[in-house]
């Protein structure tokens, strides 16, 4: 049975996990940095990188202890090699290289986005390729046709802010706390989603992409107007994001021939209102709706280990001189979208 140690350190969460080829997560250790970044209202790259250095090896040791295994029992080491905050990415990748070199095990350099893209297959063994994937996180918002490991067709991307980025900035504008996504979701439960007139960027547009920068600016104007409760702004913002995601995803589905399912992954996929809306969209298109459990949507090492298993099965291991990347598109051949801040 294939057994892979996964390492994740691309942003502000440090994680190590052991996953086997039967999709069993034998152990998973994760350390968050919320307290360290909360005073700044966002992630500070230097603080994040230092925390990864301090925490990663103890997490690896803890994950091995939890599973009752030794490093020698592992068949391969999978480490995030990008995209992400380059300091953090380098910590995890260099650690993976060191462990691979010391044990003589293969190294598998994982695209963090591919970890998210394949994570639904860790949760659901019946999910077959090709499926439609809405990947929504703090740094990315993309619609993809997932044909297999390393084989992706990008149907849409954001031309400015990602959806998760807009959630974080909205939370900061409204003083709701950090991390922003869960804080906005909690506040939105107490508000009226139709109380504040907010824009729906690109809604109904023939352009396939997403845009959230204008929505974020509208939240700032609504706050400064002094006419609305923060809870109503949070609820109205969430509804605007849902409307945009559903409209853009429906357009993308029409461009796919025969997807096996509509899948959502990434940190924003943990939002229950967004999940519910996407599930209704899937039903309308006669498709199964697949969403990993909440803990598998946010950054974690289990998805990195699973992506390593999928790639290793195809013989795709990596040399020890593989480079860390700050940016790493899943579909390098995709047509460049307009917008200076486009997230590939």
């Amino acid at each position: 049975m294939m057994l892979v140690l996964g390492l994740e350190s691309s942003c502000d969460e440090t994680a190590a996990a052991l996953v086997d080829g039967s999709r069993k997560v034998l152990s998973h250790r994760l350390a968050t940095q919320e307290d360290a970044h909360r005073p700044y209202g966002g992630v500070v790259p230097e603080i994040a990188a230092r925390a990864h250095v301090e925490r990663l090896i103890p997490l690896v040791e803890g994950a091995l202890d939890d599973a009752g295994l030794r490093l020698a029992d592992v068949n391969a080491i999978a480490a995030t090699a990008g995209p992400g905050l380059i300091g953090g990415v380098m910590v995890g990748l260099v650690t993976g290289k060191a462990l691979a070199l010391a044990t003589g095990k293969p190294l598998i350099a994982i695209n963090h986005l591919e970890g998210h893209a394949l994570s639904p297959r860790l949760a659901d063994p019946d999910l077959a390729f090709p499926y439609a994937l809405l990947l929504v996180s703090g740094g990315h918002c993309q619609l993809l046709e997932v044909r297999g490991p390393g084989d992706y067709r990008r149907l849409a991307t954001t031309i400015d802010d990602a959806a998760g980025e807009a959630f974080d900035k909205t939370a900061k504008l409204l003083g709701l706390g950090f991390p922003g996504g869960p804080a906005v979701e909690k506040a939105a439960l107490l508000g009226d989603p139709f109380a504040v007139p907010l824009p729906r960027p690109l809604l109904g547009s023939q352009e396939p992409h997403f845009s959230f920068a204008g929505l974020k600016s509208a939240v700032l104007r609504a706050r400064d107007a002094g006419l609305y409760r923060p809870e109503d702004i949070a609820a109205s913002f969430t509804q605007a994001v849902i409307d945009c995601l559903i409209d853009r995803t429906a357009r993308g589905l029409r461009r796919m021939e025969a997807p096996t399912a509509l899948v959502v992954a990434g940190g924003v996929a943990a939002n229950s209102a967004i999940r519910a809306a996407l599930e209704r969209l899937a039903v309308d298109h006669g498709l199964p709706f697949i969403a990993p459990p909440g803990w598998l949507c946010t950054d974690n090492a289990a998805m990195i280990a699973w992506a390593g298993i999928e790639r290793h099965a195809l013989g795709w291991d990596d040399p020890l001189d593989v480079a860390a990347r700050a940016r790493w598109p899943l579909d390098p051949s995709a047509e460049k979208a307009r917008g200076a801040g486009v997230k590939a």
Side-chain angles (χ1 to χ4, degrees):
M1 180 70 71
M2 185 69 183
L3 177 64
V4 171
L5 169 65
L7 309 177
E8 160 60 23
S9 61
S10 64
C11 191
D12 62 330
E13 289 168 322
T14 319
L18 288 160
V19 178
D20 68 22
S22 70
R23 292 178 167 80
K24 182 176 181 181
V25 180
L26 282 72
S27 62
H28 187 265
R29 288 283 186 108
L30 183 144
T32 66
Q33 303 174 17
E34 292 176 5
D35 291 342
H37 299 286
R38 185 171 287 110
Y40 307 98
V43 178
V44 181
E46 293 81 1
I47 293 175
R50 292 191 196 105
H52 291 313
V53 171
E54 296 169 357
R55 297 175 179 181
L56 187 52
I57 291 299
L59 288 174
V60 170
E61 294 171 340
L64 289 166
D65 288 344
D66 290 346
L69 296 169
R70 301 170 301 152
L71 193 57
D73 298 320
V74 173
N75 298 111
I77 314 293
T80 298
L85 302 177
I86 194 63
V89 170
M90 290 177 65
V91 171
L93 183 58
V94 169
T95 301
K97 290 180 179 182
L99 294 176
L101 180 62
T103 60
K105 307 292 184 180
L107 171 72
I108 312 167
I110 301 299
N111 185 317
H112 177 83
L113 301 180
E114 182 162 61
H116 281 304
L118 297 177
S119 64
R121 283 174 48 83
L122 172 58
D124 187 341
D126 296 323
L127 178 59
F129 302 118
Y131 51 85
L133 169 69
L134 177 62
L135 176 54
V136 276
S137 67
H140 295 83
C141 185
Q142 300 180 19
L143 188 64
L144 299 152
E145 181 179 18
V146 182
R147 299 165 170 171
D151 188 3
Y152 302 90
R153 181 167 71 110
R154 196 200 73 195
L155 302 171
T157 187
T158 178
I159 62 174
D160 41 57
D161 287 356
E165 189 177 355
F167 268 96
D168 289 340
K169 290 179 179 178
T170 292
K172 188 171 184 178
L173 288 171
L174 298 180
L176 298 177
F178 179 84
V184 171
E185 182 176 13
K186 183 178 179 181
L189 294 174
L190 303 175
D192 179 353
F194 303 104
V196 185
L198 295 176
R200 271 69 170 162
L202 296 182
L203 192 77
S205 169
Q206 290 303 305
E207 181 173 3
H209 302 304
F210 301 88
S211 172
F212 295 102
L215 177 57
K216 173 197 66 183
S217 299
V219 167
L220 172 62
R221 291 192 294 272
R223 184 203 68 179
D224 290 348
L227 302 175
Y228 310 104
R229 298 186 308 138
E231 294 83 0
D232 289 335
I233 298 176
S236 298
F237 164 80
T238 301
Q239 186 61 51
V241 170
I242 289 172
D243 291 346
C244 292
L245 290 177
I246 295 302
D247 177 77
R248 305 285 80 199
T249 302
R251 189 185 188 284
L253 286 173
R254 293 193 291 271
R255 296 177 60 195
M256 289 187 63
E257 288 188 8
T260 61
L262 173 59
V263 176
V264 64
V268 179
N271 183 289
S272 57
I274 290 175
R275 282 190 184 225
L278 288 168
E279 185 169 14
R280 291 191 295 270
L281 177 66
V283 170
D284 290 344
H285 283 76
L287 294 171
F289 175 68
I290 307 295
W295 73 271
L296 198 53
C297 290
T298 53
D299 290 351
N300 65 88
M303 71 179 188
I304 302 303
W306 176 253
I309 289 174
E310 295 237 30
R311 294 184 72 85
H312 185 75
L314 297 171
W316 296 349
D317 301 333
D318 293 282
L320 291 178
D321 62 353
V322 63
R325 305 191 199 185
R327 290 204 171 187
W328 189 359
L330 284 175
D331 180 7
S333 65
E335 182 181 354
K336 186 173 178 60
R338 68 177 176 92
V342 65
K343 306 295 197 306

